[in-house]
Amino acid sequence: MLAVAPGMAVTFRLLVLGDMHGYLKGRPVDGWLRGSAPAMFAYWKAHEDFAPGKFLVLSTGDNMTGTPMSTLLEGEPDIDVMNAMGFSASALGSHEFDFGRGQLLRLVAQAKFPFLAANLTNPDGTPPEAAKPYILVEAQGAKLAIIGLINRAQTNTGLLKIGAYTDAVRQCAADIRAKGAQGIVIIGNLNVAEEVALARELQDLHLLVIAGNAQHDTGQQYLPDTETWLVSTGDRWASYSRIDIEVDPDGSARVDGVK
């Protein structure tokens, strides 16, 4: 997750993926097996020097529904695998609601990581049982905030209300800054146009990264006017993004690398 030395920058290392849609065992493409949770884990160990606790492992949501195993077992195998791989948090996606409120709460209880959705509330405006607005990660006095957003196009959330992205992030940011966080990362199943609009509407917050995946594509885009990285991480366990964020001793935070 981080590297520290006295008087030097703190580096938070992030591995971000999403839209896995239950493809834990991969899928055949042109005679080859493409994507799988074991292959991803093995690649991280071989190429990222992965070890539990060394990275923040994040999902942009839609972790389940798409294969018979995931659908018939209502997402439980997906949570088991994410637990085993040491996920730190996941945005709440539309497919986390596919099996009803009761099963969603069971999946939340099963997960060893929190689900995040800052713009999701109960009818009275209070946070829902299923998700937190954000998490704070701290090391050697440096603090990084991860805020989750749920896509506003969703229609299967029952009585839960989905609010505006900007309002939710601003409300979180006030709390996060008061707690001393130096940097903010957004995760959620948003499309690129939504990410660009969010970065520009919240330019004063200096968002470091917005990672979304609604279009199931891959790529990284830097917005010089907002100094924000927009990251799309692909789908079905076939790709991910590695992001390094540094917090200097003076408290300033920046993205040091994206791939």
Side-chain angles (χ1 to χ4, degrees), residues 42 75 81 205 222:
V81 168
L205 297 182
Y222 181 66

Side-chain angles (χ1 to χ4, degrees), residues 20 22-29 32-41 235-239:
M20 289 90 84
Y23 280 82
L24 299 173
K25 298 170 66 176
R27 59 193 173 101
V29 177
W32 295 86
L33 185 65
R34 178 173 171 79
S36 74
M40 180 71 75
F41 190 70
D235 66 341
R236 291 180 280 190
W237 289 102
S239 59

Side-chain angles (χ1 to χ4, degrees), residues 8 31 39 52 68 129 141 152 160 183 221 226:
M8 298 182 68
E129 295 178 79
R152 296 198 68 195
L160 298 178
Q221 177 183 355
T226 67

Side-chain angles (χ1 to χ4, degrees), residues 20-23 63-67 70-71 75 78 95-96 98-99:
M20 289 90 84
H21 288 293
Y23 280 82
N63 306 301
M64 53 204 62
T65 306
T67 64
S70 178
T71 302
D78 307 285
H95 289 290
E96 275 69 65
D98 283 353
F99 314 113

Side-chain angles (χ1 to χ4, degrees), residues 13-152:
R13 302 187 179 100
L14 283 60
L15 301 176
V16 188
L17 62 163
D19 285 275
M20 289 90 84
H21 288 293
Y23 280 82
L24 299 173
K25 298 170 66 176
R27 59 193 173 101
V29 177
D30 297 330
W32 295 86
L33 185 65
R34 178 173 171 79
S36 74
M40 180 71 75
F41 190 70
Y43 188 91
W44 287 351
K45 292 189 72 173
H47 298 276
E48 300 288 3
D49 192 26
F50 180 84
K54 191 174 181 179
F55 290 82
L56 283 171
V57 185
L58 306 172
S59 170
T60 60
D62 282 355
N63 306 301
M64 53 204 62
T65 306
T67 64
M69 179 174 67
S70 178
T71 302
L72 290 172
L73 297 178
E74 298 188 332
E76 294 178 9
D78 307 285
I79 298 298
D80 281 340
V81 168
M82 294 171 72
N83 284 340
M85 293 177 70
F87 273 71
S88 307
S90 173
L92 199 59
S94 62
H95 289 290
E96 275 69 65
F97 288 86
D98 283 353
F99 314 113
R101 178 180 179 275
Q103 180 63 2
L104 171 60
L105 294 179
R106 284 188 285 273
L107 294 173
V108 169
Q110 178 187 347
K112 296 179 181 178
F113 53 88
F115 284 91
L116 308 178
N119 61 326
L120 186 71
T121 63
N122 291 316
D124 62 0
T126 58
E129 295 178 79
K132 298 180 178 181
Y134 67 86
I135 59 170
L136 279 180
V137 184
E138 181 176 0
Q140 299 294 308
K143 295 180 182 180
L144 182 67
I146 313 295
I147 299 175
L149 292 174
I150 189 167
N151 195 296
R152 296 198 68 195

